[in-house]
Amino acid sequence: MMDKQETAKKTIFSGIQPSGTLTIGNYIGALRHFPELQETYNCIYCIVDEHAITVRQNPADLRRRCLELAAVYLASGIDPEKCIIYCQSHVSAHAELAWILNCFTYMGELQRMTQFKDKAAKHADNINAGLFTYPVLMAADILLYQADAVPVGADQKQHLEITRDIAQRFNSIYGDVFTVPEPLITKVGSRVMSLQDPTRKMSKSDPEECFISLLDEPDAVRRKIKRAMTDSDGEIRFDPENKPGVSNLLSIISTLTGEDMETICGEMAGKGYGDLKNRTSDAVIAALEPLQSEYKRLIADKQYLLDTLLSGAEKANSIAIRTLRKVQKKIGFAPRSLK
Ligand code: TYM
């Protein structure tokens, strides 16, 4: 049972797909906020393996990556005593609520989703129905836990909007069933760009040299940043529109060191891109070092990771099932008892 103080706390929910190496984009846009929030909120962090299979996965790799992501969550500072971390597929209410919400979501709404359009273009041989209804499963994830806020990168904003629309639509028919969640998207760092094409977001599905993995060794970090695309005018200035490459490196420094942009630009004034790149590499290496050493320790203990996920799933299930039962009752599914 939650005590009074805990119930008064707001709820945070977020998820990450176990579909490949996490990048510093995932870290800066989402993951680094997860441990910060655990001191003030009830936090629930999910490994969204059901979302991952909207793109074909190798079963052995998927199984391994779920445990790897659990290790990354813990290594980032998420404390399983304070938060719930678990695998989506271990809590069947996600799929059940998603089905129901599918019946409250319009084709036209889903057709407008840019992530669907992007992924459909990337995987033209496998435009499956799951890829299309992906945002509905995401809405189910969030609404099951009555989340007040959802920390995500800017690319998920549209999915948060449809989640809010679905929740409001449902509430307007059946009464106050769902909390309508707010997105938590920071100003700087919510869209880390590709190192090779800074007009596109950094993505784990792009070629290696476009992104920095959370597990990249320092020399790989330096090599990739050294080759990052900048521009030819040589001035260090934060101007995402005209100087996307330089601005991307500046944002990475600012978010990872906590220094504000003006201070960094002041310090870098008159210096060259080589200095900017060295400074970026130093910031990335310093931020990743503690995470990587914790990760190495944790990934060696698979049993601990699995136990943590299973006990997380039990706690998640007890919250999720309450919302699911309420929804089922509201829409008129057969009762489970006549009392
Ligand atoms: P996923 O796994 O693609 O990404 C995980 C998180 O990382 C953020 N992100 C970025 N942030 C800044 N710059 C980037 N280049 C960058 N790339 C990724 C994403 O915005 C995300 O916050 N649909 C979600 C997973 C999900 C979810 C949820 C999230 C499923 N259910 C419920 C929140 C709540 C996704 O694909 O994230």
Side-chain angles (χ1 to χ4, degrees), residues 143-154:
L143 300 179
L144 271 178
Y145 300 93
Q146 307 289 354
D148 296 281
V150 182
V152 281

Side-chain angles (χ1 to χ4, degrees), residues 6 27 52 61 64 78 93 98 110-111 122 139 167 176 181 189 195 203-204 209-210 223 259 269:
E6 264 181 291
Y27 181 72
D61 289 347
R64 178 174 48 77
I78 294 174
L110 294 173
Q111 264 151 358
K122 250 188 192 165
D176 235 0
L195 296 176
S203 164
K204 49 193 164 193
E209 63 276 14
C210 297
R223 180 170 37 83
E259 279 185 67

